[in-house]
Each structure stands twice: as C-alpha cells, then as structure tokens.
Amino acid sequence: MKDKLLTYLASNRLMSSLFIAFPTAMGIGTFLETWYSTDAAKIWIYNAWWFELMMGLFVFSFIGNMFKYKLFRKEKWAVLCIHLSFVLILVGAFITRYIGYEGMMPIREGESTNVFLSEKTFLEILVDGKFGGRDLRKQLMNEVLLSEHVAHDFEIQDDFKGQDFSIYFVDYLENATEGLVLDPEGERYLKIVEASDGSRHDHYIKEGEVVNIHNLLFTLNNPIDGATNIEVIDGEYFVSSPFEGTFMRMADQFQGQLVKDSLQPLQLRSLYALPNFQFVIPEPVLRGKFDIVKAEEDQAVQQDALRLEIETQDQTKLITLLGGKGLTNDPKKITVGNLEFYVKYGSKSLELPFHIKLKDFVAERYPGNRKKLFFL
C-alpha cells in the first residue's frame, strides 16, 4: 500500500495535473484581486484548503520523484537540487503561513519603535460582569478574514460563568465611515469640511453641542465664549469667531473679512481661513442620524464596517464596528442583559525583540506622477 501511494505521488499524470492546476488557480486569483479585493482572493483561492492541498501534493510528488528516479546518485545531483529547491520553497511557504507573521509599522522620521500592526485582522471581545460579588472580565480573540464580496456566516458561542452568549455575523461593508443619513425626525446637524493634513475630513456639529476640531471649538445655536459660534436666526445664518479671519466665496471668488467677536452673515460654500485652519460649510443645517455609509474616495483613512448581533438572556442588540487592516480603534461598548461587551475589529499590536529607527525619508516625484521612496 505504501509503495502504491509513493508511486502515485511520483506519477507523471499527477505532476502534470498539478503544474496545470496550480498556476491556473494563481492566475484566477490575480484577476479576482483586480475585480474584487485582495481579501476576497485570499478567501476564494490562496487561503482555501484545496489550494494548500495542491501545495502539499507538490511536496510529496517531488519527494516521491527523488526515490522513483534515484536522484541521490552523484550523476543526478543537478536534478536533485532542482527538486530540493521546489520542496524548500513550498515548505517555506507553509512555515510563513502557519508560523510567521507580517504587518505594517507606522513610524515617523527620527523615531524608533518595536511595535507594529498585524497584517491579519482580529475581532477582540471583552466581556465584563459580576460573579460572586466580584467584577470579572473574559477576553476573546478571533482571527477573521472578511470581504463584502464573500458571503460570510460565522458565529461565536461562549459563556460567562455559566451565562451563555452568542455573537452572530450580520453584515460587512468595505471603505465605510460614520456619516449623516437624512431623516426628517432626526437631530439637526451642520457639516464642516476641512483638509488640514492635505486630505478631506467631514465634521458634524449637533445643534446645542460643542465640537473640538483640531483644538478649535465650534458650536451650533449654542454661543459660548472662545468658540466659533454659528447661529441660525429666522432662517438666516450668522457666524462669530474669537479670531480674525478671511473668507472667499467660491462661486464668484468674492473675498471678505471675518471680524473678531462680531456676529456677521455666514457665507455658505465659502472658504474661511482662521489662524492655521481653513474650513468650508457646504450646505445648510440638515436633519438626520448617524449611521454607517460608504466613504468618499478622497477621505484620508479608509475603514471597513462590521455589523454584529449579540444575544444573551433572551436579549439581542446590534453593534457596528469600524476598523480594518492597519487600524486599532478603541473598543465599542454595548450592554446586553447584565453583561457589558467591549468589542473592536482591526489589527493587533505586536512587538519585535528589537527596535527600528527611521533616520531619513525622501519622496521624489518624477514625470508620470510616480514616486520614488527612499528609506535609510
């Protein structure tokens, strides 16, 4: 039986089939990455059990050929080296997948660090509750690979000191953000757009509240000292600021002054310039509520949205998490039954046994709008 298996693994028919199927699968995976996403290609092709099975059959086939054709003789060392190189490549791929890890390291010029963010994404759950008069916490960490182009249906079943709870997958949306969804019964909000770091950022001021935007305070119908106050009086918009500034109306390039501590008409769709800060109010006050929506392509941080359903003690609640690869957002809290769940989705912080220092970073542009990046 053992000899028959070895003969089959070393057969030309199996090897030729693998040499056709393996590159074909990789080629299809490349197209899937282009059409959909890298994560979708991983789920369908690269991380699939049948793709790993092909790699394993390759290894055993090469080893079988070594014995079948007696490649250990001196005159066949060249062919033996070719077979061994393929075996080492495939074994190295398995080691990288199951033992190795990779990620990304945010690091500024002149700084050193040994912390990086994992390439894989995780669903981290902290469950807080009382047992025997004491506050206890249970931690769950699950690796997840998700794509909006793939139908997912996972669930987590566990218990907290005998109290069962379940977490179900509901939906997943790529390139998402928390935005205002129009609702005539919702609260009143005013949108402020700024690009202080070169990328567009949308901020919403809720009526009656104070918002801190890059250490500048803004209010809507709630004037306070030291803030840029925006008021709606009889349908007209007014602004007062503790700083001198200017504005430019985009429609006709008209320019004017923003006088300090003076209530004056607000110019919508105009670029206001305060000390070290520029902003635009593109539209009037809107009624709505915050929900997860598709992000604009020019937004700086592209996050994904994971929607889960948590159930315990016959109570069920929905929770939506923003996160993704290269992100470590703060956990989101939700109370279900008598348990508190702190849930977050994204990369995991890992430490290296050494530090890396970025001495210099140079980005040079050349015709074609491409970049040359140099790291020292």
Side-chain angles (χ1 to χ4, degrees), residues 39 48 65 70 73 81-82 95 171 204 211-212 231 255 262-264 278 294 300 305 345 368 372:
D39 289 339
N65 277 335
K70 299 180 175 59
R73 290 178 294 176
C81 287
I82 293 175
I95 292 174
D171 194 16
Y204 289 90
V211 174
N212 187 327
E231 299 179 61
Q255 299 185 25
S262 174
L263 188 66
Q264 60 188 80
Q278 294 181 329
K294 272 288 188 179
Y345 163 69
K372 282 185 178 180

Side-chain angles (χ1 to χ4, degrees), residues 89-342:
I89 291 172
L90 292 169
V91 171
F94 276 103
I95 292 174
T96 301
R97 170 163 171 74
Y98 291 106
I99 300 177
Y101 51 89
E102 56 185 303
M104 56 200 77
M105 178 180 287
I107 180 172
R108 295 183 179 275
E109 188 175 271
E111 294 182 352
S112 65
T113 182
N114 68 330
V115 178
F116 71 100
L117 302 176
S118 64
E119 188 270 340
K120 296 179 179 178
T121 51
F122 296 84
L123 179 62
E124 183 179 353
I125 305 162
L126 301 176
V127 187
D128 288 357
K130 290 184 177 293
F131 183 78
R134 295 185 300 159
D135 292 326
L136 299 179
R137 166 170 286 183
K138 183 171 187 175
Q139 182 179 23
L140 302 174
M141 182 77 72
N142 294 74
E143 180 185 334
V144 291
L145 179 60
L146 303 171
S147 171
E148 68 177 3
H149 307 289
V150 180
H152 300 283
D153 187 22
F154 70 82
E155 64 181 63
I156 300 172
Q157 303 279 352
D158 213 309
D159 72 281
F160 182 87
K161 293 299 181 180
Q163 179 179 334
D164 295 332
F165 64 85
S166 303
I167 300 174
Y168 302 97
F169 171 85
V170 177
D171 194 16
Y172 186 76
L173 180 65
E174 295 175 357
N175 299 332
T177 187
E178 191 174 30
L180 187 67
V181 178
L182 297 182
D183 183 352
E185 303 298 325
E187 303 285 349
R188 285 160 55 93
Y189 291 90
L190 185 69
K191 182 164 74 171
I192 291 183
V193 180
E194 55 89 13
S196 57
D197 61 354
S199 300
R200 169 178 169 156
H201 299 275
D202 294 345
H203 305 269
Y204 289 90
I205 310 174
K206 184 178 178 180
E207 186 174 35
E209 294 188 353
V210 181
V211 174
N212 187 327
I213 305 176
H214 300 297
N215 295 322
L216 293 177
L217 300 181
F218 288 82
T219 72
L220 175 61
N221 290 336
N222 180 30
I224 62 173
D225 293 336
T228 298
N229 300 302
I230 300 168
E231 299 179 61
V232 183
I233 304 174
D234 296 330
E236 299 290 332
Y237 288 77
F238 298 89
V239 60
S240 65
S241 174
F243 307 102
E244 296 286 346
T246 61
F247 69 86
M248 181 184 68
R249 197 161 55 205
M250 297 180 182
D252 56 4
Q253 305 299 305
F254 172 77
Q255 299 185 25
Q257 296 291 320
L258 180 62
V259 181
K260 177 181 178 181
D261 295 328
S262 174
L263 188 66
Q264 60 188 80
L266 173 68
Q267 304 291 327
L268 296 177
R269 292 175 289 278
S270 299
L271 178 63
Y272 279 84
L274 301 177
N276 301 317
F277 187 75
Q278 294 181 329
F279 67 93
V280 175
I281 299 178
E283 53 197 4
V285 171
L286 300 172
R287 284 191 179 272
K289 60 181 180 180
F290 277 92
D291 202 353
I292 300 302
V293 296
K294 272 288 188 179
E296 300 289 341
E297 291 295 331
D298 58 353
Q299 285 198 330
V301 179
Q302 295 289 337
Q303 302 188 85
D304 301 328
L306 173 60
R307 198 184 302 273
L308 302 171
E309 185 179 79
I310 302 178
E311 179 182 359
T312 184
Q313 289 186 334
D314 296 327
Q315 292 188 24
T316 302
K317 289 186 179 181
L318 287 173
I319 183 173
T320 302
L321 310 171
L322 286 176
K325 191 179 300 182
L327 299 170
T328 55
N329 294 335
D330 293 331
K332 198 168 182 178
K333 177 185 175 182
I334 186 172
T335 302
V336 187
N338 61 345
L339 297 179
E340 292 181 346
F341 294 84
Y342 295 84

Side-chain angles (χ1 to χ4, degrees), residues 343-366:
V343 192
K344 70 176 180 177
Y345 163 69
S347 295
K348 183 168 60 173
S349 295
L350 300 172
E351 290 188 3
L352 295 171
F354 54 86
H355 281 69
I356 295 178
K357 182 175 182 178
L358 177 59
K359 290 186 177 180
D360 192 21
F361 177 86
V362 180
E364 292 186 357
R365 295 180 182 270
Y366 56 91

